[in-house]
Amino acid sequence: MTTLHGSCHCGTVKFEVEGPVESAYTCDCSLCRKKNALMAKVHESKLKITAGADKLSLYQWNTRIARHYFCSVCGIYPFHRKRSEPTEYGVNLHCLDDFDPSVLPSKLGKGKGMTVVAEGARDVWPGPRETG
Ligand SMILES: [Zn+2]
């Protein structure tokens, strides 16, 4: 078992990943593109937040199922809980100490093709309009 240590930029958020990490992925959804994230899929049992859990901010959009965390001090994205598999994290490989993700095989996740909820869409039908 390999334990990989990760942190945000300022060091407030620290976490450990039980390795090995053997593959990486990117995602073409609008959020991951802007984060320029290179990630690995890690089961929740293999990720432990060791510091700064209370300093993580949560960003949610679209279906609001995925939970995108970032450090509230330095703004770095260390990991998120995936929408497609909520027991899995996507971990930002560039947050791992002494780890070179460029040697890993990398694939492109097709996040762009996942349904995007239209702006202003309602979860439930609000009932008939009032007339008059
Ligand atoms: Zn930070």
Side-chain angles (χ1 to χ4, degrees), residues 8-13 71 73-75:
C8 64
H9 186 257
C10 70
T12 297
V13 177
C71 172
V73 180
C74 67

Side-chain angles (χ1 to χ4, degrees), residues 44-95:
E44 62 183 0
S45 64
K46 296 188 172 184
L47 187 145
K48 189 166 81 180
I49 301 167
T50 54
D54 60 327
K55 291 290 192 293
L56 285 169
S57 282
L58 173 65
Y59 176 60
Q60 289 182 287
W61 66 293
N62 196 24
T63 62
R64 298 178 184 273
I65 295 169
R67 300 171 71 82
H68 302 277
Y69 294 104
F70 61 97
C71 172
S72 61
V73 180
C74 67
I76 292 296
Y77 147 71
F79 44 73
H80 73 282
R81 271 193 187 269
K82 291 166 69 73
R83 166 178 161 190
S84 56
E85 298 157 284
T87 58
E88 302 279 346
Y89 281 97
V91 172
N92 179 355
L93 288 173
H94 291 298
C95 283

Side-chain angles (χ1 to χ4, degrees), residues 3 6 20-21 25 27 66 70 76 100 103 110 112 116:
T3 301
V21 170
Y25 73 98
C27 173
F70 61 97
I76 292 296
D100 178 11
V103 301
K110 299 286 186 186
K112 195 177 171 184
V116 174

